Amino acid sequence: LSFTQRPTNQSPISLTDMLLAPLLSVVASGFVPTLTTSALHIVRRPAAAIAPALMAALPQPVAELLPAAVRTEQGVVPLWRALREVYPSEEAAVAAVRRNAAVLMPYMNTPANIRGSWLVVQRLCGEEALEIVTRNPGVLGCNPEALSKASADQVRNAANVANAFESVLGPVRRLLQGIPGWDEGKEVKL
């Protein structure tokens, strides 16, 4: 397999895309793979202009945590609003996005999942619910019906595992995000 870039009117592939593409969802990263007999072509969808109203609805720290292609999606704002309903403050909700930005990815989550999963975690874990979604915001991306079949211990254990991974891998992710060019929407100044 060889990697070639398609037409020049497509956005360039960033350093992060090249390094992390195997770890990211193909759809999530904005790539459309095309396999031919001679090559695998990876093409970036053209990014739409960021609508000012969308950006105004997201706090700046949240917008900075999301890839540029996601910030332009209209589905992000309803996800942010649903997530914000779960946490006692905007700062706590921003911290949740910092731990797991996937909860705000419109192609991976819905406001109904966030609200429904929050209700399930509250029912299963009672007073521990906020602590659990703080350690593992990803639980808010679960299908509520499937989550309701889990036990409180399973939800707690998943939060502990997610917290351990974040403790170990979080600094590495933040380091990579600090490298110029990690996101195609940020200018690289040399």
Side-chain angles (χ1 to χ4, degrees), residues 86-87 92 95-100 103 118 121 125 127-140 152-167 173:
V86 171
Y87 293 92
V97 175
R98 191 170 287 116
R99 288 180 74 81
N100 188 343
V103 295
W118 173 234
V121 172
C125 302
E127 293 180 12
E128 289 179 274
L130 182 59
E131 180 185 340
I132 286 170
V133 298
T134 299
R135 286 184 294 161
N136 182 17
V139 73
L140 297 171
D153 284 339
Q154 289 171 320
V155 173
R156 280 186 206 97
N157 290 340
N160 290 336
V161 169
N163 192 51
F165 273 103
E166 174 61 21
S167 297
R173 178 178 33 97

Side-chain angles (χ1 to χ4, degrees), residues 11-14 16-33 42-47 66-70 73 105-108 182-185:
S11 301
I13 297 174
S14 70
T16 299
D17 291 335
M18 290 185 288
L19 296 174
L20 300 179
L23 303 175
L24 301 174
S25 164
V26 170
V27 174
S29 63
F31 290 112
V32 180
I42 299 180
V43 180
R44 174 160 302 285
R45 291 177 287 168
L66 298 174
V70 173
E73 296 286 331
M105 305 291 174
Y107 41 81
M108 296 176 71
W182 85 270
D183 182 6
E184 74 287 351

Side-chain angles (χ1 to χ4, degrees), residues 19-85:
L19 296 174
L20 300 179
L23 303 175
L24 301 174
S25 164
V26 170
V27 174
S29 63
F31 290 112
V32 180
T34 305
L35 185 60
T36 65
T37 55
S38 62
L40 174 64
H41 301 278
I42 299 180
V43 180
R44 174 160 302 285
R45 291 177 287 168
I50 298 173
L54 285 177
M55 291 306 294
L58 289 175
Q60 187 65 28
V62 172
E64 290 173 358
L65 292 168
L66 298 174
V70 173
R71 289 190 299 259
T72 64
E73 296 286 331
Q74 291 182 356
V76 172
V77 173
L79 286 166
W80 166 250
R81 289 181 181 144
L83 187 72
R84 179 59 191 90
E85 292 169 11

